[in-house]
Amino acid sequence: MLNDFLQIHSLIVVFVGEFNPVIIQPFWLASKKLIREQEAQTANIEIIHREIVRFSLDWVHIEVTTNRLELRSTQEPYFEPLKDLAISIFEVLSETPLRAVGINNLKYFALPDKERYYHFGNKLAPLDNWSGSLKDPRLMTVEILEQKRADGLEGNYRVRVQPSDIKLSTEFGVLINTNDHLQISAESTGRNGEVIKLFGDNWTSSQKRSSDIVEDIWKKINN
Amino acid sequence: MSTLIEESWAVDRQITNKSNKASAEDGIVNMLERNVKAYMMNLSDTRLDKKKNTRETFEVRPASDDVEEFKVPSITHLSLTDSKNYFTKAQRWIGHVHEIRENSFFAELKDLNDPTTYEVGEFEYDEISPEDRELISLGAAFYWSIGSSYKNGQIEKKSLIRFQRMKPWTEADYKKSLDRAEFFFEKLNLE
């Protein structure tokens, strides 16, 4: 299983809409009982500005701009609390117009050796196709798009495979990034909790799909 | 309207909102000004030590020669993924409290990695973070994870319990829920 080589799993949830960044601050979250008081007191606030707010708690980094809100964590035990936090923020700010949500799972695998690393890239995009034109070709990035979602919802699904952009325990790091993009129709106002409902309803299946895709790629590559 | 992750955080990208071209520097100056103004309000004779101001620090020198230094916030070049602090491959459960005793509670646990598996566990109050204890009630949900975390090079075995925090229900929420229940009840043909 590819999961045996998983070293870092990063979850990044992105909301697209219209935001007033300065509202979303640690003490506001604590006042709404969405995080612990102690967490607000020890939050690392990087910037609070009318255009951007960025801070981190021990388990989540939050960045809000006027059209984008991102929550990030590299700690799996907090993925569910991150989901709850996102839902609760927009249940409190129920009038906030939201257009789309993206659930990005970034999985960093430390493959144990050069052979498996090369084989992985070579199977994804056969390098023989390039051998006449390029000397010792290597795969850098593959991005596959599911234009029309299999579940019939509006949005798309994207998988990107590339060498790890951070240092892992071996030199042979691979990053698989899945972007589950859900959006509402152009006619919706986005002010009635449509995106949050999409997010909540699809959270479990989205996490499962991301894992299944990774294992499926690995299985096919090693067949 | 992409929800793809960006290669870096917004400040690194420079904000290019067409209606208001604020920039990273604008944000930094704004924060510093606020801090310096707040500090100067409490001083009668203060001068800025221009010579000592650098890109990294901003100093205010009161008459007493005590130097107050404001650090310029480091808000650029934050990596996309925190590779020094992560917790991967955790065994995770969601629990629901179903019996409360004097010093402990019992909960039904559902394995989040394999939702078909159910277990029951007893948890001592001492295992719960003080701020979460007020959330212990019948039906309350919590997350329990076991695994190894990696923090700045140190691997630690951890067992984490965190009670679910959601927006508290308002009277309007209860009413909405009752209305919904009534609506479905009326739809049921019980005769």
Side-chain angles (χ1 to χ4, degrees), chain A residues 3-10 12 14 16 32-39 45-52 54 58-59 61-63 65-66 68 70 72 74-81 83-85 87-88 91-92 99-102 104 106 108 143 158 160 165-167 177 179-181 183, chain B residues 1-13 15 17 19-24 26-28 30-31 34 73-92 94 112-113 115 129 131-132 134 143 145-146 149-151 158 160-168:
Chain A
N3 218 31
D4 295 341
F5 306 124
L6 179 66
Q7 190 169 332
I8 303 176
H9 182 180
S10 180
I12 304 175
V14 178
V16 175
K32 301 292 172 197
K33 306 236 178 256
L34 304 184
I35 61 170
R36 297 173 186 153
E37 186 81 30
Q38 189 82 29
E39 289 175 323
I45 298 172
E46 292 178 49
I47 184 165
I48 293 178
H49 182 263
R50 63 183 184 281
E51 287 268 327
I52 182 168
R54 190 161 91 191
D58 268 353
W59 53 277
H61 298 270
I62 297 178
E63 180 178 285
T65 63
T66 50
R68 207 171 150 97
E70 295 186 15
R72 304 174 176 226
T74 45
Q75 301 184 58
E76 280 182 354
Y78 293 102
F79 286 3
E80 299 289 326
K83 178 253 305 171
D84 294 340
L85 179 62
I87 290 173
S88 297
E91 279 181 347
V92 175
R99 307 294 321 167
V101 59
N104 296 278
L106 281 74
Y108 294 83
E143 192 163 327
R158 208 180 280 254
R160 189 195 291 173
D165 55 358
I166 53 177
K167 203 167 178 253
N177 171 8
N179 170 250
D180 190 353
H181 175 89
Q183 64 187 49
Chain B
M1 191 176 49
S2 168
T3 57
L4 280 171
I5 51 157
E6 305 282 355
E7 295 303 324
S8 57
W9 289 76
V11 172
D12 309 348
R13 297 193 294 272
I15 301 166
N17 186 332
S19 60
N20 192 351
K21 286 193 176 180
S23 65
D26 191 18
I28 293 169
N30 193 290
M31 280 175 75
R34 232 178 326 140
S74 166
I75 56 171
T76 55
H77 308 301
L78 186 79
S79 70
L80 201 62
T81 292
D82 185 354
S83 59
K84 293 191 174 110
N85 183 16
Y86 56 85
F87 194 140
T88 310
K89 291 197 264 192
Q91 187 63 43
R92 296 178 299 150
I94 182 167
L112 285 169
N113 301 100
S129 299
E131 281 195 65
D132 277 9
E134 64 182 36
Y143 302 108
S145 306
I146 297 175
S149 79
Y150 181 97
K151 195 165 190 176
K158 277 189 180 170
L160 287 171
I161 297 174
R162 187 181 178 91
F163 269 74
Q164 189 180 46
R165 286 172 181 267
M166 299 294 282
K167 175 191 163 247

Side-chain angles (χ1 to χ4, degrees), chain A residues 108-172:
Chain A
Y108 294 83
F109 300 94
L111 299 186
D113 51 59
K114 198 176 168 182
E115 286 69 35
R116 266 188 265 201
Y117 183 67
Y118 181 83
H119 179 68
F120 192 83
N122 193 29
K123 280 285 266 189
L124 276 178
L127 296 169
D128 268 358
N129 295 339
W130 302 92
S131 55
S133 326
L134 300 174
K135 187 186 168 195
D136 195 18
R138 297 297 158 119
L139 177 69
M140 292 308 292
T141 305
V142 169
E143 192 163 327
I144 308 290
L145 174 71
E146 180 184 69
Q147 252 180 319
K148 230 174 173 183
R149 296 177 59 95
D151 53 19
L153 296 170
E154 289 216 31
N156 54 53
Y157 201 96
R158 208 180 280 254
V159 184
R160 189 195 291 173
V161 185
Q162 63 183 79
S164 171
D165 55 358
I166 53 177
K167 203 167 178 253
L168 301 179
S169 59
T170 72
E171 285 174 58
F172 314 108

Side-chain angles (χ1 to χ4, degrees), chain B residues 119-174:
Chain B
E119 287 162 84
V120 173
E122 183 182 10
F123 298 84
E124 306 279 330
Y125 286 169
D126 289 349
E127 297 174 71
I128 310 301
S129 299
E131 281 195 65
D132 277 9
R133 285 181 202 158
E134 64 182 36
L135 301 173
I136 301 170
S137 61
L138 283 179
F142 64 94
Y143 302 108
W144 179 35
S145 306
I146 297 175
S148 301
S149 79
Y150 181 97
K151 195 165 190 176
N152 298 323
Q154 179 63 52
I155 291 176
E156 295 170 10
K157 288 261 177 217
K158 277 189 180 170
S159 167
L160 287 171
I161 297 174
R162 187 181 178 91
F163 269 74
Q164 189 180 46
R165 286 172 181 267
M166 299 294 282
K167 175 191 163 247
W169 275 39
T170 59
E171 213 176 308
D173 293 327
Y174 278 110

